[in-house]
Amino acid sequence: EVQLVQSGGGLVQPGGSLRLSCAASGFTFSDYWMSWVRQAPGKGLEWVASIKQDGSDKNHVDSVKGRFTISRDNAKNSLYLQMNSLRAEDTAVYYCARSNAGYSWGQGTLVTVSS
Amino acid sequence: DIQMTQSPSSLSASVGDRVTITCRASQGISNYLAWFQQKPGKAPKSLISAASSLQSGVPSKFSGSGSGTDFTLTISSLQPEDFATYYCQQYYSFPLTFGGGTKVEIK
């Protein structure tokens, strides 16, 4: 069974940092692009970042470029999102997803940026 | 950036109805189109990828069609568990983009 189990998240002050993690199992992690998608309260889905199978290619939405970094560790079957200089508008539920086509999703983790 | 426009943004339907949701891309995306179902407080669930390929375990009442710029998701006979919000997403090029969603409600 494919599983994506997320950890990290929580309440952080504006300007602060957080690291989200996503542990994968049930499939060959190194065979897939992986992505992060977020959903602000009451809003639709917004793609955040994607990373190629070997980590050699990364893409981020313009609104997070220079602040967020996607990474992966294929030896640990894990995906990460390092979030720095957080802003109130980054408040959202963050999901990890298998592939750019979203074949399967993590359970989501809430990030709240507030003083 | 490729804009994805979904319509309608919401609809009311009865159990047993046939429902069609459309998604239009601002430029051609071949068949790099996915559909998701999301229920309140839950993660999205993949229904269809490559415009028309049903994901494993998804019932055949869901179907997708289209290529290029115009796509549709059809639910052949709406059941109580199908009331949810549906999203399309293009994965033809970065930035990946989603439609605004279609909320399917009970009439």
Side-chain angles (χ1 to χ4, degrees), chain B residues 16-21 37 47 61-63 73-79 82-83 86 104:
Chain B
D17 283 354
R18 180 184 180 90
V19 168
T20 298
I21 299 168
Q37 176 194 67
L47 298 175
K61 62 182 171 181
F62 292 97
S63 63
L73 172 70
T74 299
I75 309 171
S76 60
S77 177
L78 204 63
Q79 296 302 306
D82 302 328
F83 291 95
Y86 294 83
V104 177

PDB file of all heavy atoms in Angstrom, chain B residues 16-21 37 47 61-63 73-79 82-83 86 104:
ATOM      1  N   GLY B  16     -28.209   9.944  -8.427  1.00  0.00           N
ATOM      2  CA  GLY B  16     -28.571   9.317  -9.688  1.00  0.00           C
ATOM      3  C   GLY B  16     -28.353  10.185 -10.913  1.00  0.00           C
ATOM      4  O   GLY B  16     -28.371   9.688 -12.038  1.00  0.00           O
ATOM      5  N   ASP B  17     -28.131  11.478 -10.705  1.00  0.00           N
ATOM      6  CA  ASP B  17     -27.905  12.382 -11.833  1.00  0.00           C
ATOM      7  C   ASP B  17     -26.555  12.104 -12.500  1.00  0.00           C
ATOM      8  O   ASP B  17     -25.612  11.616 -11.874  1.00  0.00           O
ATOM      9  CB  ASP B  17     -27.915  13.842 -11.376  1.00  0.00           C
ATOM     10  CG  ASP B  17     -29.310  14.384 -11.133  1.00  0.00           C
ATOM     11  OD1 ASP B  17     -30.287  13.670 -11.424  1.00  0.00           O
ATOM     12  OD2 ASP B  17     -29.406  15.526 -10.645  1.00  0.00           O
ATOM     13  N   ARG B  18     -26.493  12.454 -13.767  1.00  0.00           N
ATOM     14  CA  ARG B  18     -25.227  12.462 -14.513  1.00  0.00           C
ATOM     15  C   ARG B  18     -24.677  13.877 -14.420  1.00  0.00           C
ATOM     16  O   ARG B  18     -25.394  14.850 -14.694  1.00  0.00           O
ATOM     17  CB  ARG B  18     -25.464  12.070 -15.963  1.00  0.00           C
ATOM     18  CG  ARG B  18     -24.230  12.045 -16.842  1.00  0.00           C
ATOM     19  CD  ARG B  18     -24.623  11.725 -18.280  1.00  0.00           C
ATOM     20  NE  ARG B  18     -23.519  11.673 -19.199  1.00  0.00           N
ATOM     21  CZ  ARG B  18     -22.816  10.578 -19.468  1.00  0.00           C
ATOM     22  NH1 ARG B  18     -23.107   9.439 -18.859  1.00  0.00           N
ATOM     23  NH2 ARG B  18     -21.817  10.615 -20.329  1.00  0.00           N
ATOM     24  N   VAL B  19     -23.412  13.989 -14.032  1.00  0.00           N
ATOM     25  CA  VAL B  19     -22.798  15.292 -13.799  1.00  0.00           C
ATOM     26  C   VAL B  19     -21.560  15.436 -14.670  1.00  0.00           C
ATOM     27  O   VAL B  19     -20.751  14.502 -14.776  1.00  0.00           O
ATOM     28  CB  VAL B  19     -22.412  15.439 -12.304  1.00  0.00           C
ATOM     29  CG1 VAL B  19     -21.510  16.646 -12.087  1.00  0.00           C
ATOM     30  CG2 VAL B  19     -23.664  15.544 -11.443  1.00  0.00           C
ATOM     31  N   THR B  20     -21.421  16.601 -15.280  1.00  0.00           N
ATOM     32  CA  THR B  20     -20.239  16.882 -16.100  1.00  0.00           C
ATOM     33  C   THR B  20     -19.592  18.180 -15.646  1.00  0.00           C
ATOM     34  O   THR B  20     -20.272  19.202 -15.476  1.00  0.00           O
ATOM     35  CB  THR B  20     -20.608  16.984 -17.587  1.00  0.00           C
ATOM     36  OG1 THR B  20     -21.137  15.725 -18.027  1.00  0.00           O
ATOM     37  CG2 THR B  20     -19.380  17.314 -18.421  1.00  0.00           C
ATOM     38  N   ILE B  21     -18.289  18.126 -15.431  1.00  0.00           N
ATOM     39  CA  ILE B  21     -17.486  19.295 -15.042  1.00  0.00           C
ATOM     40  C   ILE B  21     -16.476  19.533 -16.159  1.00  0.00           C
ATOM     41  O   ILE B  21     -15.874  18.586 -16.681  1.00  0.00           O
ATOM     42  CB  ILE B  21     -16.763  19.034 -13.713  1.00  0.00           C
ATOM     43  CG1 ILE B  21     -17.785  18.782 -12.591  1.00  0.00           C
ATOM     44  CG2 ILE B  21     -15.843  20.196 -13.360  1.00  0.00           C
ATOM     45  CD1 ILE B  21     -17.162  18.228 -11.315  1.00  0.00           C
ATOM     46  N   GLN B  37     -10.608  14.526  -6.336  1.00  0.00           N
ATOM     47  CA  GLN B  37     -11.781  14.711  -5.491  1.00  0.00           C
ATOM     48  C   GLN B  37     -11.300  15.069  -4.091  1.00  0.00           C
ATOM     49  O   GLN B  37     -10.374  14.431  -3.574  1.00  0.00           O
ATOM     50  CB  GLN B  37     -12.588  13.412  -5.441  1.00  0.00           C
ATOM     51  CG  GLN B  37     -13.793  13.446  -4.521  1.00  0.00           C
ATOM     52  CD  GLN B  37     -14.333  12.040  -4.265  1.00  0.00           C
ATOM     53  OE1 GLN B  37     -13.690  11.211  -3.630  1.00  0.00           O
ATOM     54  NE2 GLN B  37     -15.526  11.760  -4.775  1.00  0.00           N
ATOM     55  N   LEU B  47      -8.314  10.822  -9.035  1.00  0.00           N
ATOM     56  CA  LEU B  47      -9.334  10.076  -9.765  1.00  0.00           C
ATOM     57  C   LEU B  47      -8.823   9.632 -11.131  1.00  0.00           C
ATOM     58  O   LEU B  47      -8.972   8.489 -11.532  1.00  0.00           O
ATOM     59  CB  LEU B  47     -10.582  10.931  -9.971  1.00  0.00           C
ATOM     60  CG  LEU B  47     -11.337  11.410  -8.747  1.00  0.00           C
ATOM     61  CD1 LEU B  47     -12.476  12.335  -9.157  1.00  0.00           C
ATOM     62  CD2 LEU B  47     -11.861  10.241  -7.934  1.00  0.00           C
ATOM     63  N   LYS B  61     -17.756   4.730 -12.616  1.00  0.00           N
ATOM     64  CA  LYS B  61     -18.723   5.799 -12.840  1.00  0.00           C
ATOM     65  C   LYS B  61     -18.031   7.132 -13.145  1.00  0.00           C
ATOM     66  O   LYS B  61     -18.637   8.051 -13.682  1.00  0.00           O
ATOM     67  CB  LYS B  61     -19.662   5.960 -11.656  1.00  0.00           C
ATOM     68  CG  LYS B  61     -18.956   6.344 -10.356  1.00  0.00           C
ATOM     69  CD  LYS B  61     -19.936   6.439  -9.214  1.00  0.00           C
ATOM     70  CE  LYS B  61     -19.227   6.610  -7.875  1.00  0.00           C
ATOM     71  NZ  LYS B  61     -20.157   6.675  -6.740  1.00  0.00           N
ATOM     72  N   PHE B  62     -16.742   7.228 -12.789  1.00  0.00           N
ATOM     73  CA  PHE B  62     -15.960   8.406 -13.121  1.00  0.00           C
ATOM     74  C   PHE B  62     -15.285   8.185 -14.482  1.00  0.00           C
ATOM     75  O   PHE B  62     -14.721   7.122 -14.732  1.00  0.00           O
ATOM     76  CB  PHE B  62     -14.874   8.666 -12.072  1.00  0.00           C
ATOM     77  CG  PHE B  62     -15.405   9.080 -10.738  1.00  0.00           C
ATOM     78  CD1 PHE B  62     -15.574   8.149  -9.723  1.00  0.00           C
ATOM     79  CD2 PHE B  62     -15.737  10.403 -10.485  1.00  0.00           C
ATOM     80  CE1 PHE B  62     -16.067   8.523  -8.487  1.00  0.00           C
ATOM     81  CE2 PHE B  62     -16.233  10.791  -9.245  1.00  0.00           C
ATOM     82  CZ  PHE B  62     -16.400   9.845  -8.248  1.00  0.00           C
ATOM     83  N   SER B  63     -15.338   9.197 -15.321  1.00  0.00           N
ATOM     84  CA  SER B  63     -14.633   9.118 -16.590  1.00  0.00           C
ATOM     85  C   SER B  63     -14.131  10.506 -16.973  1.00  0.00           C
ATOM     86  O   SER B  63     -14.720  11.523 -16.594  1.00  0.00           O
ATOM     87  CB  SER B  63     -15.520   8.547 -17.699  1.00  0.00           C
ATOM     88  OG  SER B  63     -16.627   9.391 -17.930  1.00  0.00           O
ATOM     89  N   LEU B  73     -14.790  15.981 -16.865  1.00  0.00           N
ATOM     90  CA  LEU B  73     -14.932  14.900 -15.902  1.00  0.00           C
ATOM     91  C   LEU B  73     -16.425  14.608 -15.812  1.00  0.00           C
ATOM     92  O   LEU B  73     -17.225  15.531 -15.602  1.00  0.00           O
ATOM     93  CB  LEU B  73     -14.401  15.309 -14.531  1.00  0.00           C
ATOM     94  CG  LEU B  73     -14.664  14.320 -13.380  1.00  0.00           C
ATOM     95  CD1 LEU B  73     -13.829  13.057 -13.561  1.00  0.00           C
ATOM     96  CD2 LEU B  73     -14.375  14.969 -12.022  1.00  0.00           C
ATOM     97  N   THR B  74     -16.788  13.344 -15.968  1.00  0.00           N
ATOM     98  CA  THR B  74     -18.191  12.952 -15.891  1.00  0.00           C
ATOM     99  C   THR B  74     -18.377  11.926 -14.781  1.00  0.00           C
ATOM    100  O   THR B  74     -17.572  10.999 -14.641  1.00  0.00           O
ATOM    101  CB  THR B  74     -18.669  12.362 -17.231  1.00  0.00           C
ATOM    102  OG1 THR B  74     -18.541  13.362 -18.251  1.00  0.00           O
ATOM    103  CG2 THR B  74     -20.127  11.936 -17.146  1.00  0.00           C
ATOM    104  N   ILE B  75     -19.417  12.134 -14.000  1.00  0.00           N
ATOM    105  CA  ILE B  75     -19.850  11.142 -13.015  1.00  0.00           C
ATOM    106  C   ILE B  75     -21.179  10.615 -13.538  1.00  0.00           C
ATOM    107  O   ILE B  75     -22.142  11.382 -13.671  1.00  0.00           O
ATOM    108  CB  ILE B  75     -20.012  11.751 -11.615  1.00  0.00           C
ATOM    109  CG1 ILE B  75     -18.755  12.538 -11.224  1.00  0.00           C
ATOM    110  CG2 ILE B  75     -20.286  10.656 -10.583  1.00  0.00           C
ATOM    111  CD1 ILE B  75     -18.894  13.354  -9.948  1.00  0.00           C
ATOM    112  N   SER B  76     -21.229   9.329 -13.843  1.00  0.00           N
ATOM    113  CA  SER B  76     -22.373   8.810 -14.594  1.00  0.00           C
ATOM    114  C   SER B  76     -23.646   8.748 -13.760  1.00  0.00           C
ATOM    115  O   SER B  76     -24.737   8.977 -14.282  1.00  0.00           O
ATOM    116  CB  SER B  76     -22.045   7.423 -15.156  1.00  0.00           C
ATOM    117  OG  SER B  76     -21.751   6.526 -14.095  1.00  0.00           O
ATOM    118  N   SER B  77     -23.527   8.422 -12.490  1.00  0.00           N
ATOM    119  CA  SER B  77     -24.698   8.322 -11.621  1.00  0.00           C
ATOM    120  C   SER B  77     -24.264   8.735 -10.220  1.00  0.00           C
ATOM    121  O   SER B  77     -23.640   7.959  -9.496  1.00  0.00           O
ATOM    122  CB  SER B  77     -25.256   6.894 -11.619  1.00  0.00           C
ATOM    123  OG  SER B  77     -26.359   6.791 -10.727  1.00  0.00           O
ATOM    124  N   LEU B  78     -24.605   9.957  -9.881  1.00  0.00           N
ATOM    125  CA  LEU B  78     -24.111  10.552  -8.636  1.00  0.00           C
ATOM    126  C   LEU B  78     -24.632   9.792  -7.415  1.00  0.00           C
ATOM    127  O   LEU B  78     -25.839   9.490  -7.329  1.00  0.00           O
ATOM    128  CB  LEU B  78     -24.550  12.012  -8.592  1.00  0.00           C
ATOM    129  CG  LEU B  78     -23.758  12.986  -7.736  1.00  0.00           C
ATOM    130  CD1 LEU B  78     -22.324  13.110  -8.235  1.00  0.00           C
ATOM    131  CD2 LEU B  78     -24.443  14.334  -7.721  1.00  0.00           C
ATOM    132  N   GLN B  79     -23.726   9.477  -6.516  1.00  0.00           N
ATOM    133  CA  GLN B  79     -24.083   8.797  -5.266  1.00  0.00           C
ATOM    134  C   GLN B  79     -23.747   9.704  -4.084  1.00  0.00           C
ATOM    135  O   GLN B  79     -22.970  10.656  -4.222  1.00  0.00           O
ATOM    136  CB  GLN B  79     -23.341   7.477  -5.167  1.00  0.00           C
ATOM    137  CG  GLN B  79     -23.717   6.484  -6.252  1.00  0.00           C
ATOM    138  CD  GLN B  79     -25.212   6.173  -6.249  1.00  0.00           C
ATOM    139  OE1 GLN B  79     -25.780   5.791  -5.224  1.00  0.00           O
ATOM    140  NE2 GLN B  79     -25.855   6.345  -7.407  1.00  0.00           N
ATOM    141  N   ASP B  82     -20.251  10.925  -3.453  1.00  0.00           N
ATOM    142  CA  ASP B  82     -19.602  11.720  -4.496  1.00  0.00           C
ATOM    143  C   ASP B  82     -19.733  13.226  -4.261  1.00  0.00           C
ATOM    144  O   ASP B  82     -19.153  14.018  -5.009  1.00  0.00           O
ATOM    145  CB  ASP B  82     -20.194  11.386  -5.875  1.00  0.00           C
ATOM    146  CG  ASP B  82     -20.069   9.920  -6.225  1.00  0.00           C
ATOM    147  OD1 ASP B  82     -19.075   9.302  -5.782  1.00  0.00           O
ATOM    148  OD2 ASP B  82     -20.959   9.408  -6.913  1.00  0.00           O
ATOM    149  N   PHE B  83     -20.499  13.607  -3.261  1.00  0.00           N
ATOM    150  CA  PHE B  83     -20.635  15.035  -2.982  1.00  0.00           C
ATOM    151  C   PHE B  83     -19.334  15.524  -2.353  1.00  0.00           C
ATOM    152  O   PHE B  83     -18.928  15.087  -1.278  1.00  0.00           O
ATOM    153  CB  PHE B  83     -21.859  15.288  -2.112  1.00  0.00           C
ATOM    154  CG  PHE B  83     -23.136  15.021  -2.849  1.00  0.00           C
ATOM    155  CD1 PHE B  83     -23.767  13.786  -2.752  1.00  0.00           C
ATOM    156  CD2 PHE B  83     -23.684  15.976  -3.686  1.00  0.00           C
ATOM    157  CE1 PHE B  83     -24.937  13.526  -3.464  1.00  0.00           C
ATOM    158  CE2 PHE B  83     -24.850  15.719  -4.397  1.00  0.00           C
ATOM    159  CZ  PHE B  83     -25.477  14.494  -4.294  1.00  0.00           C
ATOM    160  N   TYR B  86     -14.224  19.054  -6.676  1.00  0.00           N
ATOM    161  CA  TYR B  86     -13.393  18.431  -7.700  1.00  0.00           C
ATOM    162  C   TYR B  86     -12.462  19.483  -8.315  1.00  0.00           C
ATOM    163  O   TYR B  86     -12.885  20.608  -8.585  1.00  0.00           O
ATOM    164  CB  TYR B  86     -14.270  17.786  -8.776  1.00  0.00           C
ATOM    165  CG  TYR B  86     -15.073  16.625  -8.224  1.00  0.00           C
ATOM    166  CD1 TYR B  86     -16.272  16.842  -7.554  1.00  0.00           C
ATOM    167  CD2 TYR B  86     -14.596  15.323  -8.327  1.00  0.00           C
ATOM    168  CE1 TYR B  86     -16.989  15.786  -7.005  1.00  0.00           C
ATOM    169  CE2 TYR B  86     -15.308  14.255  -7.791  1.00  0.00           C
ATOM    170  CZ  TYR B  86     -16.499  14.494  -7.130  1.00  0.00           C
ATOM    171  OH  TYR B  86     -17.190  13.445  -6.588  1.00  0.00           O
ATOM    172  N   VAL B 104     -19.668  20.089  -5.677  1.00  0.00           N
ATOM    173  CA  VAL B 104     -20.877  19.353  -6.034  1.00  0.00           C
ATOM    174  C   VAL B 104     -21.701  19.153  -4.768  1.00  0.00           C
ATOM    175  O   VAL B 104     -21.252  18.491  -3.823  1.00  0.00           O
ATOM    176  CB  VAL B 104     -20.535  18.007  -6.695  1.00  0.00           C
ATOM    177  CG1 VAL B 104     -21.800  17.225  -6.990  1.00  0.00           C
ATOM    178  CG2 VAL B 104     -19.727  18.237  -7.979  1.00  0.00           C
TER     179      VAL B 104
END
